[in-house]
Amino acid sequence: MSTFNHSDLMRDINESLAPFRKAQPNAMAGFGQLAKAAITDGELSAKHKELIALSIAVTQRCSGCIGFHVKALVQLGCTRAELEEMLTVCVYMGGGPALMYAAEVIAAWEKLSVKA
């Protein structure tokens, strides 16, 4: 399991991407619009869509994505029980590696939900 702080990781990612955002404003604006449109409430709620996004982050082993989606889920009022139930599906589909990233999600949840 990672030992880094997801808040620091998200800050570092945002700082590292700042020059890229300036150099490629149209592409980054398009990505932002895609993200907003994909997560907006529809037939599925934004919370359910963020749970899906987090499950993909776990199975794709993306620590940065884990931080950003856990933070969004905390803001959307996701419960730990909902998070853990989603993680069981990740482990079912992703096996042992997903279990290791599930531990990372739980650690991120514990740190980021305190700030909410």
Side-chain angles (χ1 to χ4, degrees), residues 15-113:
E15 287 175 3
S16 294
L17 287 177
F20 183 66
R21 285 186 183 102
K22 287 181 182 176
Q24 299 297 321
N26 292 337
M28 293 307 296
F31 181 80
Q33 289 172 340
L34 175 61
K36 184 177 178 180
I39 298 300
T40 298
D41 279 332
E43 294 300 315
L44 295 174
S45 69
K47 179 172 69 173
H48 286 103
K49 291 177 179 185
E50 284 291 351
L51 284 164
I52 293 166
L54 181 57
S55 70
I56 293 168
V58 168
T59 58
Q60 292 295 307
R61 304 177 189 131
C62 179
S63 295
C65 298
I66 287 170
F68 287 108
H69 293 293
V70 166
K71 180 181 175 184
L73 283 164
V74 167
Q75 293 171 341
L76 289 168
C78 182
T79 67
R80 184 176 176 129
E82 291 170 321
L83 181 83
E84 290 174 348
E85 191 168 324
M86 178 275 300
L87 288 173
T88 63
V89 177
C90 291
V91 174
Y92 163 59
M93 296 302 293
L99 181 60
M100 301 305 108
Y101 279 84
E104 183 177 322
V105 168
I106 292 167
W109 176 268
E110 289 175 353
K111 289 180 182 174
L112 294 171
S113 63

Side-chain angles (χ1 to χ4, degrees), residues 6-15 64 67-68 71 112:
H6 283 85
S7 293
D8 291 344
L9 176 62
M10 291 183 291
R11 183 200 66 234
D12 292 347
I13 288 170
N14 282 327
E15 287 175 3
F68 287 108
K71 180 181 175 184
L112 294 171

